[in-house]
Amino acid sequence: MRVQVSDAAVHETLHRVFGFRSFRPNQHEVVRALLEGRDVMAVMPTGGGKSLCYQLPAVLLEGTCLVVSPLIALMKDQVDGARQNGIRAAFLNSTQPPEERQAVVRDLMAGRLDLLYVAPERFAVDSFRSMLSGVRISMAVIDEAHCISEWGHDFRPDYLSLSALVELAGAAPVAAFTATATERVQEDTLRRLALRDPFLVRASFDRPNLTYEVLFKEGADRQILSLLKRHRGKAGIIYRASRKSVGDTARMLQGKGIRALPYHAGLEDQERERNQDAFIRDEAEVIVATVAFGMGIDKSNIRFVIHADLPRSIENYYQETGRAGRDGEPAHCTLLYSQGDIAKVRFFIDAMPEGEERARALSALSKMAAFAASAVCRRRALLGHFGEAYPKENCASCDVCNGSYSALDCSVEAQILLSAIVRTDERFGATHVIDIVTGSSNKKILELGHDRIKTYGAGKGREKKFWRQLVDELQVRGVIVKSEGLYPVLMLTEKAVAVLRAEAKVEMAVRREAPKGARRKSSPAEGACDRELFEQLRLLRLEIAREQGLAPYMVFSDRTLRDMSLQRPRTEEEMLGVSGVGEAKLERYGRRFLQLMERWCAEHPEGEAAAC
């Protein structure tokens, strides 16, 4: 179903509807392929502008674009966002009252919709599939397409029914989008969907606006509070591994006067939805959540993500950190890690039956732990996992590349630790062994006579934090292992022999402490604008959003406000030159923002700016 649309018309629509003067990488090619009637498989990072790739053709093509979206709770936000740009959009799901569903169906059958969002399970209903035979479908889109692959990290059985989508779409193109797919998952997704000679895009997984860091976990609450101080006044997500830890952390933050709310599957539906809405609408600064939160979250102004526990896979980590900085503005991603986190994840994996799924989960956990423990450029390691080589020697936006770590020869200390394990017959856990080498005089050490072994106190010149990290390092290297069971003990492997004989060197990445009072380096791409004007624009945005019952980012993104504060438009024509301001938003909000700008310029004729 090829449609003749000139490039001039495409760019005019891009500016008029979405307020952009140019495409992001790969967007133009995907839009052209869909307009030419080709199926598409696009693996593009979060924040890469996937929704524009199908929303723009949906405006230009006759008929309705059918969008399969995995989370019912987010459909309203997706539809509200499209409507803000003047796109005729609706959703159809089980949460709607019958009269609302009927109204959507009437609009669909009458051809009054550019976009219709539906859940994947609806395709298993014969009546729905039959109804589609009477609808002019401009194209069909599958969001989070990796969910159809059993090799993916987020396989969903209800996605399997989408294998019939190509047949249902007829001559209309079918597009599959995902932000997290290894090449194996991509191939499996293509096979299951049976796309017809698709246009393939595998964009770079690099998110240059994100800064990555890993901190050795030693008192998660204290570290979280320190990180929130760094990100004061900004929106962020804190991921925890369990419902209990989510609740504990949220209560701890609330007790410190921080607007934080919990989110996990154990909460009542209404409370969970209420907390998510409060976060999306900037009424809460922080959401503390399990991985139940976030898939498809469209909030563009999340400025930080903290993983206070180890994710189960690099795919999960990449997807969850990807929820920060969707507007392209700088954002920070911090992972707190210690070897003890592995045991927590293993608890869930061990509950799985023996088989391929369990083996894949163990392999994924091993790769995640290696990523956290290594001192290799975080960006290079992430991209390498997805089969992409990072071309630069230094990314300048991770803790390894910015000099936060240095390599320390710990061969002698490793020998001390291994000797203590051997001399106590491999019968004790990490805490006890560390107590021995640091010369603790606790009751257990004295009763067992471990204060008399040769390595007792041999490492008292180092803090316990150092020794805990060294235990982690030796486990990652496979020099020692932990036994199974309720009280795991440390045991040596064959690799330990070479270390004890000084035939193998042990180097550990040790974090350098920044000098007191040292200023944190700015994130890459951090632009300069007037901070006070930017905050006033944010307050006006929040006021308008509350009046209209919208999430603030749906009015204008942080990037748009930053561009506005730089350009300081005085006329409607100048306002249309601001990135993210299209005709529909100009008509809705332009006058109030122009009035604010006029007052500001009158009060600040000197034009001096305090950088954002």
Side-chain angles (χ1 to χ4, degrees), residues 341-352 365:
D341 288 341
I342 294 179
K344 295 175 185 176
V345 182
R346 276 294 302 264
F347 176 81
F348 295 102
I349 296 176
D350 290 343
M352 297 178 179
L365 174 60

Side-chain angles (χ1 to χ4, degrees), residues 468-516:
R468 286 195 298 271
Q469 189 174 349
L470 183 56
V471 168
D472 287 359
E473 181 72 26
L474 293 174
Q475 281 189 257
V476 169
R477 289 170 175 261
V479 175
I480 58 176
V481 294
K482 275 186 180 179
S483 66
E484 301 289 340
L486 188 60
Y487 302 105
V489 301
L490 298 181
M491 298 181 295
L492 276 59
T493 69
E494 290 182 5
K495 292 182 178 180
V497 176
V499 176
L500 284 167
R501 291 176 176 172
E503 296 169 357
K505 188 177 180 180
V506 177
E507 281 192 341
M508 183 171 69
V510 178
R511 190 173 183 87
R512 293 173 178 168
E513 297 299 327
K516 288 187 178 181

Side-chain angles (χ1 to χ4, degrees), residues 322-390:
R323 285 159 195 154
R326 291 173 64 101
D327 54 6
E329 292 291 286
H332 206 93
C333 308
T334 304
L335 167 62
L336 305 181
Y337 166 73
S338 72
Q339 193 73 23
D341 288 341
I342 294 179
K344 295 175 185 176
V345 182
R346 276 294 302 264
F347 176 81
F348 295 102
I349 296 176
D350 290 343
M352 297 178 179
E354 293 284 347
E356 284 190 11
E357 184 180 358
R358 187 173 186 270
R360 284 199 297 269
L362 285 171
S363 174
L365 174 60
S366 176
K367 291 174 183 176
M368 185 66 230
F371 167 83
S374 73
V376 174
C377 167
R378 310 293 179 192
R379 196 173 303 277
R380 181 179 289 112
L382 281 176
L383 299 184
H385 178 79
F386 293 103
E388 180 181 347
Y390 186 65

Side-chain angles (χ1 to χ4, degrees), residues 29 40-41 46 71 117 167 171 222 227 276 290 306 326 342 358 372 374 384 463 561 588:
E29 294 83 351
V40 169
M41 172 75 191
T46 303
L71 289 184
Y117 288 82
E167 183 181 342
R222 178 181 55 78
L227 290 166
Q276 177 173 292
T290 60
I306 299 170
R326 291 173 64 101
I342 294 179
R358 187 173 186 270
S374 73
E463 295 181 359
L561 297 187
R588 285 191 179 99

